[in-house]
């Protein structure tokens, strides 16, 4: 929890936030921050939330992404069709399919081989693939994607 309320209470599905197991909350939460962070891997690994090496030297937003997705998704827990659907929901499929290697395209360290908009859409696809019950998009994303 970022802050403990000093008055009133915050509830999710009728349960007080303070009574919810923090790990469970993290596993059921998807966040796309304004400051998008990608891993020096391929598009598939970034959407499936590739694991990171030790965290201390990473920016806070990247550490938060790793906490929400510490080990990435197992390769056999999703299909290429699941990736495509997540990319479509994030409006990323159109540019991904144009890359010669599609989902296997390497994005470079911190996604430097992609435009800012492409990086943002990959981060949104990451949340769409996991389909957490709680999805938080920073205000800057409101016009980019329709979240089911």
């Amino acid at each position: 929890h970022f802050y403990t309320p000093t008055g009133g209470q915050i509830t999710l599905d009728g349960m007080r936030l303070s009574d919810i197991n923090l790990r469970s909350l993290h596993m059921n939460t998807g966040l796309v921050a304004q400051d998008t962070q990608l891993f020096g891997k391929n598009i598939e690994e970034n959407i499936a939330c590739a694991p990171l090496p030790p965290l201390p030297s990473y920016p806070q937003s990247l550490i938060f992404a790793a906490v929400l997705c510490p080990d990435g998704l197992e390769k056999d827990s999703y299909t290429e069709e699941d990736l495509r659907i997540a990319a479509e929901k994030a409006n990323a499929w159109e540019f991904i399919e144009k890359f010669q290697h599609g989902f296997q395209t390497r994005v470079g360290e911190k996604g430097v081989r992609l435009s800012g908009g492409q990086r943002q859409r990959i981060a949104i696809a990451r949340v769409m693939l996991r389909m957490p019950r709680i999805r938080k998009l920073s205000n800057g994303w409101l016009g980019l994607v329709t979240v089911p």
Side-chain angles (χ1 to χ4, degrees):
H1 311 267
F2 289 116
Y3 300 99
T4 302
T6 57
Q9 61 183 348
I10 300 172
T11 61
L12 295 172
D13 288 338
M15 291 183 64
R16 289 181 8 183
L17 186 60
S18 59
D19 294 337
I20 298 174
N21 174 284
L22 193 55
R23 178 155 176 77
S24 174
L25 180 62
H26 285 174
M27 295 306 292
N28 285 288
T29 301
L31 171 69
V32 182
Q34 190 73 30
D35 179 25
T36 301
Q37 298 290 332
L38 296 183
F39 309 105
K41 307 264 182 189
N42 64 38
I43 291 173
E44 176 181 352
E45 291 168 317
N46 272 282
I47 293 175
C49 202
L52 286 173
L55 299 175
S57 64
Y58 289 94
Q60 187 63 35
S61 58
L62 192 54
I63 291 172
F64 188 67
V67 168
L68 291 180
C69 189
D71 302 317
L73 294 175
E74 294 293 326
K75 181 80 169 153
D76 61 357
S77 70
Y78 62 89
T79 65
E80 187 160 333
E81 179 71 4
D82 295 330
L83 283 173
R84 186 187 58 73
I85 290 169
E88 285 176 349
K89 288 179 179 177
N91 296 319
W93 176 241
E94 189 175 313
F95 73 82
I96 292 171
E97 72 176 338
K98 290 180 183 175
F99 290 133
Q100 181 179 357
H101 301 291
F103 285 115
Q104 301 312 309
T105 301
R106 309 267 317 158
V107 301
E109 195 62 39
K110 298 183 181 180
V112 296
R113 293 187 181 140
L114 300 176
S115 72
Q118 290 171 330
R119 286 193 300 271
Q120 292 166 345
R121 293 184 190 284
I122 295 297
I124 293 169
R126 179 184 296 157
V127 170
M128 295 295 107
L129 180 63
R130 296 181 70 82
M131 288 305 291
R133 292 177 64 196
I134 303 165
R135 295 171 220 144
K136 169 70 172 119
L137 305 178
S138 294
N139 290 341
W141 302 116
L142 294 178
L144 292 179
V145 65
T146 302
V147 181

